[in-house]
Amino acid sequence: DQQVKQNSPSLSVQEGRISILNCDYTNSMFDYFLWYKKYPAEGPTFLISISSIKDKNEDGRFTVFLNKSAKHLSLHIVPSQPGDSAVYFCAASEVRNQFYFGTGTSLTVIP
Amino acid sequence: KAGVTQTPRYLIKTRGQQVTLSCSPISGHRSVSWYQQTPGQGLQFLFEYFSETQRNKGNFPGRFSGRQFSNSRSEMNVSTLELGDSALYLCASSSSIRGNTEAFFGQGTRLTVV
């Protein structure tokens, strides 16, 4: 039973434009959400997180939005750069240090 | 600060054998979690150790076990290997002093069962 879903396996965006990656979850008890970026043959790298008490968190080019009523999370990357091409995973947790991950979205930024 | 170190990076084992994977967390991190990544399944939580005690466990059979040492290093063991155990095994460490914090991942151990 996949509690965190990323329904778009892939996304292609032109360099300089906005990339929007989406994530849905089913467990209303999740209270902490994260996005990770993963290159082939490497472990996931933490990007940005958000607590359920917020609806937005920004860090440079990356912004995460949380819509608790819709159980929806999104990551915006503006402007997108070719180096952003990677697989992006969203993750959620109810219990500290136990994360449920989505299946990932492969982002390709076209120069 | 050194990152999370996992050894070995690659392993090939035969069905029915057992395997032990090792993880050294970031210095000062006391929480170590293990995840299995397979194509199409994302990362699946195996278990988490904190101060040598298993604190959380995912939905995996008892063939998957782990332990943590007093220096926070952790090992994961899989007994009676099956072909379906072929996966990337990732270890993550977290400071976990108070509240939720992000987890930092190692590069993983790629296990192939033949």
Side-chain angles (χ1 to χ4, degrees), chain A residues 36 38 41 43 95-97 99, chain B residues 9 31 35 55 94 96 99 103 106:
Chain A
Y36 282 85
K38 187 178 185 301
V95 174
R96 188 171 54 193
N97 292 328
F99 295 104
Chain B
R9 289 292 310 279
S31 169
Y35 290 82
R55 194 160 63 171
S94 171
S96 190

Side-chain angles (χ1 to χ4, degrees), chain A residues 32-48:
Chain A
Y32 187 58
F33 304 86
L34 310 90
W35 283 94
Y36 282 85
K37 173 180 175 180
K38 187 178 185 301
Y39 294 115
E42 294 185 11
T45 301
F46 169 73
L47 270 177
I48 192 168

Side-chain angles (χ1 to χ4, degrees), chain B residues 11-30:
Chain B
L11 265 178
I12 299 176
K13 289 286 188 179
T14 304
R15 195 170 46 180
Q17 287 186 312
Q18 74 162 16
V19 67
T20 300
L21 312 181
S22 179
C23 173
S24 293
I26 292 171
S27 176
H29 285 191
R30 293 165 63 188

